[in-house]
Amino acid sequence: MGDSAWDRKTRRLVEVPGGAAGLEPGLARGRYDGSSDLLGRYVCRACTQDLILRGAKPGSKKLPHFSHQNSQGCPASAERRRRIELDDQVVIDLRDRLIRAWPDATVTLELPHAPGETPVAGMPPAIVICGPQGTVVVERPPSLPGPEQLGTRLRAVRARYGAGASHVWFLAKDPLQFARCGKLNVAPRGRDRAVHVTIAPTEQQLAIVAAGGGVYWLDGQQVLIPYGVHDFAHEPGQKEDWGFTDWRRSWRNDWFISHPLPARDASRWGLVPSSLHQLTSAKATFDLAEARDLMQRLEDVQRARWRRRRADAAELYASRHAPANLVAPTDITVASPAAPAEPATQESAASEPVPSSGGSHTGSLTTEEPTGVAGAAAPAVAAVPEPSAASSSVESPAPAVAVPPPPPYPPYSTPAARVVRQGRWRGFLRRVLGGHGNER
């Protein structure tokens, strides 16, 4: 006894008793697959055997239900029947939410299959939404089937609803189809910085995207929409140096985005978080405008990021390959204080010739003293010889500056100071002893 079955005639999932109106009671055999064979209209989802609709006649004392022939039980295991019922219930709950979001659209549960082919075993029915924007086929499987079964489902949807129909897959966040690859720090242009989860796509997910379908993850009210993350390393261009010593500027490793669908050669997929309410805000279609706008902002900012990083690499190259400043060091000579000149005697003045103003001794130095008495002869100072070319190349070391000795410590006191201090003590004793200090 069951409450649901697959209807070969309408290719839909039939739920009773609410959906029993207009159904043929009994076995209801007919030609439903395009061949001359008579088949039962209703099929068990667990064992694919024909089912009989009972209790659908007017005046029946039993509620409408499906049963196997001769009232036999389903040969499928209890675990398989339970799993199929749970998977169907997940799809039914999502269908009810979409009906509330799009009350003007026609929402049905169907098992799409190509003519001459049987439906994919184990997969729950698809939610088919027919609205003013077109047809949307929504899949909500617990896990993706193998590549062959998945290809059969993709071909069946295209054959039944046309190439213009949107094929959307909502997956669960289980480890088999949600392999985490770390986190990605993003800074969309005009938005706050955020952290996006990245995953490694599976072959089935890549096949869905290659067929033009959309892969999303549904976790309660949150929907994760993927984009492609292509990791790469910048190749140093001409006059660029990417060997930054600061670990925070390890900018050679970079990435670029592919969207709105991730490219097949993407290293991983980044996920944009959204809400199911925001996704279903449009009429009978999924509105991806918000997520696609954020993806475009990420692409806009990556161009500016590349320009900035290459400019920093060029600046680092210029700083490391700048020519050395070949400036000779300036010789700084500390001149010693000049010793006071001794007064020249008359003998020395007479023995040393005094050059005249018109002489050719340009290297000598003469000084004139002010004449205090008119007609007094000015004593001459010894001339400083001009250094020759040979001696100018090697400078003589500067004379050492005499350092005065440090003052004594403790400071030496003069005898006068001692007398003063003794006088002070005598005056103090004189006042204390009443004048007796004068007696000595």
Side-chain angles (χ1 to χ4, degrees):
M1 181 175 178
D3 297 333
S4 63
W6 173 42
D7 189 347
R8 281 196 177 108
K9 184 177 181 178
T10 61
R11 298 183 181 179
R12 295 179 180 177
L13 186 68
V14 179
E15 300 171 81
V16 294
L23 297 179
E24 302 176 38
L27 190 59
R29 291 184 178 273
R31 299 179 177 88
Y32 304 116
D33 59 352
S35 65
S36 59
D37 297 335
L38 295 177
L39 302 172
R41 179 175 178 177
Y42 314 111
V43 181
C44 176
R45 295 249 299 115
C47 65
T48 67
Q49 292 184 1
D50 293 342
L51 295 179
I52 300 174
L53 177 60
R54 302 181 186 276
K57 293 181 179 180
S60 176
K61 296 182 180 180
K62 295 182 178 180
L63 293 176
H65 65 277
F66 293 102
S67 64
H68 290 71
Q69 297 184 37
N70 302 325
S71 300
Q72 295 178 356
C74 181
S77 63
E79 178 63 24
R80 176 176 174 81
R81 294 197 305 268
R82 187 185 67 83
R83 184 177 59 82
I84 289 177
E85 291 177 0
L86 292 177
D87 296 345
D88 290 350
Q89 189 60 44
V90 171
V91 175
I92 291 171
D93 294 342
L94 179 58
R95 179 204 61 181
D96 296 341
R97 294 165 66 178
L98 295 178
I99 289 176
R100 292 192 296 268
W102 301 321
D104 298 334
T106 302
V107 183
T108 58
L109 296 179
E110 302 185 12
L111 290 172
H113 67 281
E117 294 183 355
T118 58
V120 178
M123 283 195 66
I127 306 173
V128 181
I129 306 163
C130 298
Q133 304 294 333
T135 303
V136 181
V137 181
V138 180
E139 306 276 5
R140 186 72 169 99
S143 61
L144 291 176
E148 183 178 354
Q149 295 176 324
L150 183 62
T152 301
R153 188 65 168 243
L154 293 173
R155 292 191 301 270
V157 170
R158 290 290 178 264
R160 179 169 174 78
Y161 308 105
S166 301
H167 200 180
V168 179
W169 296 72
F170 284 100
L171 306 179
K173 292 176 60 177
D174 62 82
L176 296 179
Q177 52 196 9
F178 194 81
R180 293 179 178 268
C181 281
K183 298 180 180 180
L184 184 65
N185 295 321
V186 297
R189 184 182 296 277
R191 301 284 187 88
D192 295 335
R193 293 181 177 271
V195 178
H196 288 173
V197 177
T198 63
I199 64 165
T202 62
E203 287 297 327
Q204 292 91 331
Q205 296 166 4
L206 293 174
I208 293 173
V209 173
V215 178
Y216 312 123
W217 281 264
L218 180 61
D219 184 12
Q221 289 293 332
Q222 188 184 52
V223 181
L224 300 176
I225 306 170
Y227 58 86
V229 177
H230 301 254
D231 298 303
F232 72 100
H234 286 281
E235 292 297 332
Q238 187 177 8
K239 295 185 178 181
E240 290 183 353
D241 191 348
W242 292 85
F244 298 102
T245 57
D246 188 357
W247 65 270
R248 293 170 297 182
R249 301 175 67 187
S250 56
W251 289 344
R252 185 173 181 180
N253 298 326
D254 209 334
W255 67 279
F256 66 90
I257 185 174
S258 59
H259 64 99
L261 295 178
R264 184 174 181 83
D265 59 344
S267 308
R268 46 187 172 145
W269 287 2
L271 303 178
V272 177
S274 183
S275 63
L276 184 62
H277 175 73
Q278 184 180 15
L279 203 65
T280 58
S281 59
K283 294 183 178 180
T285 187
F286 291 103
D287 186 12
L288 301 174
E290 183 68 20
R292 291 179 177 178
D293 176 69
L294 190 141
M295 296 176 189
Q296 184 61 47
R297 291 174 182 269
L298 290 178
E299 184 179 3
D300 294 340
V301 79
Q302 83 179 9
R303 300 190 185 97
R305 183 177 71 246
W306 291 355
R307 288 194 300 267
R308 184 182 69 251
R309 293 186 177 185
R310 288 198 171 275
D312 290 349
E315 182 180 354
L316 181 61
Y317 179 90
S319 63
R320 290 182 176 178
H321 295 77
N325 296 327
L326 302 177
V327 180
T330 305
D331 293 334
I332 302 176
T333 304
V334 179
S336 59
E342 296 182 358
T345 59
Q346 292 183 358
E347 290 81 1
S348 62
S351 62
E352 294 183 4
V354 179
S356 60
S357 59
S360 60
H361 300 278
T362 58
S364 61
L365 176 64
T366 60
T367 57
E368 293 183 0
E369 288 188 0
T371 55
V373 180
V381 182
V384 179
E386 184 179 1
S388 62
S391 62
S392 61
S393 59
V394 180
E395 266 192 46
S396 59
V401 180
V403 179
Y409 185 84
Y412 177 74
S413 59
T414 60
R418 295 179 181 177
V419 172
V420 173
R421 284 198 295 270
Q422 291 177 0
R424 291 178 182 175
W425 280 106
R426 287 181 179 179
F428 173 76
L429 294 176
R430 187 182 299 113
R431 289 191 298 269
V432 172
L433 301 177
H436 296 284
N438 294 330
E439 300 177 0
R440 283 274 173 107

